[in-house]
Amino acid sequence: EVCGLASVWRRKDGKRTQNEDFLVHHFAGPIIYTVSDFIDKNRDALYGHVHDVLSESTNPLVASLYPQRTEEDNVASSKMTVGNRFLGQLQQLVGMLRASETRFVRCIKTNETFSPSVVDKTSVLRQLVCSGVMAALEVRRAGFPSRMLFTEFVREFRCFSGKPPYPSNDKDLTAKMMKHPSVAGRVTEAQYRLGTTKLFMQADVLYTLQSIKNKAIEPYVRRLQRWWIKNQGQIQQHKLKRGTYMIARLTEKAKTE
């Protein structure tokens, strides 16, 4: 969008926009740019002698950023700019990311004044919304946010395995457990997916499985509890009888002496 003197938009300093200003509606919000001195500000040629000096730096990080140039680099140095070099580094980074399994870390500023132990809730929420974190959470919530490794699922919900024979691998055993009558009656196949190593479930499926498990093992827990109480009672009774017997023996011994 091209701005002008009559535009309702304002620069960051609060001044009116000029005819050389234009606005781009980014995902995070509208940003105003200006074409004034645009070429001069980006005429950032990386001279060869500067590259050579930086490549001989005693700082390992600086030296790694500017490796020794080859003859081909010397020929192309007149056309090399900081922007071109940055573009090449970005292409290398993209290739590295595509060849690996990425994990993203989103950094959020707690306040605009960079003060410690101060959290501006409005600013934090705005950053989360503009960076797409909230939208990603909504998408994940609508999909299959809960996930467990097959080995963990089998260990946690072994009570759904049913009668033998059992499959030889955890994935097939997980599929069998999810078709258990007590589970299939409350969890449909549309609410979960079997991945390569994990079971993906919708938001409330894990809670439902835990409820079914608790209800299934409740009789056994109560039986174990009754046995434990009875056993503890017998142990205490045995200790009491033994103590009474020892007191009687000591009393008889004292009388004879």
Side-chain angles (χ1 to χ4, degrees), residues 145-148 153 156-157 160 178 182-183 186-187 191 199 201-215:
S146 301
R147 54 198 66 184
M148 291 182 67
F153 183 84
E156 180 69 21
F157 299 100
F160 300 146
M178 292 302 293
S182 59
V183 176
R186 298 181 58 182
V187 179
Q191 293 180 282
L199 173 66
M201 299 166 284
Q202 291 184 354
D204 56 342
V205 172
L206 189 59
Y207 174 78
T208 302
L209 292 174
Q210 194 67 46
S211 300
I212 299 173
K213 172 189 172 183
N214 293 340
K215 187 175 181 179

Side-chain angles (χ1 to χ4, degrees), residues 97-122:
L97 292 176
R98 288 177 177 175
S100 61
E101 185 176 353
T102 57
R103 293 289 185 271
F104 295 96
V105 177
R106 179 70 65 181
C107 298
I108 302 296
K109 292 192 298 183
T110 56
N111 57 80
E112 299 295 338
T113 59
F114 302 100
S115 301
S117 304
V118 177
V119 178
D120 186 349
K121 295 182 180 180
T122 304

Side-chain angles (χ1 to χ4, degrees), residues 27 106 126-138:
F27 179 80
R106 179 70 65 181
R126 176 177 55 80
Q127 294 176 70
L128 292 174
V129 172
C130 293
S131 61
V133 174
M134 301 302 293
L137 291 177
E138 290 295 334

Side-chain angles (χ1 to χ4, degrees), residues 64-66 82-94:
S64 64
L65 295 175
Y66 298 91
V82 174
N84 291 337
R85 183 174 182 80
F86 179 66
L87 179 60
Q89 292 175 344
L90 283 181
Q91 291 174 346
Q92 293 178 359
L93 177 61
V94 170

Side-chain angles (χ1 to χ4, degrees), residues 10 64 66 76 82 96 112 147 216 218 227 229 245 253:
R10 294 292 183 269
S64 64
Y66 298 91
V82 174
M96 184 184 302
E112 299 295 338
R147 54 198 66 184
E218 183 178 0
W227 174 85
I229 294 174
Y245 174 76
K253 185 177 180 181

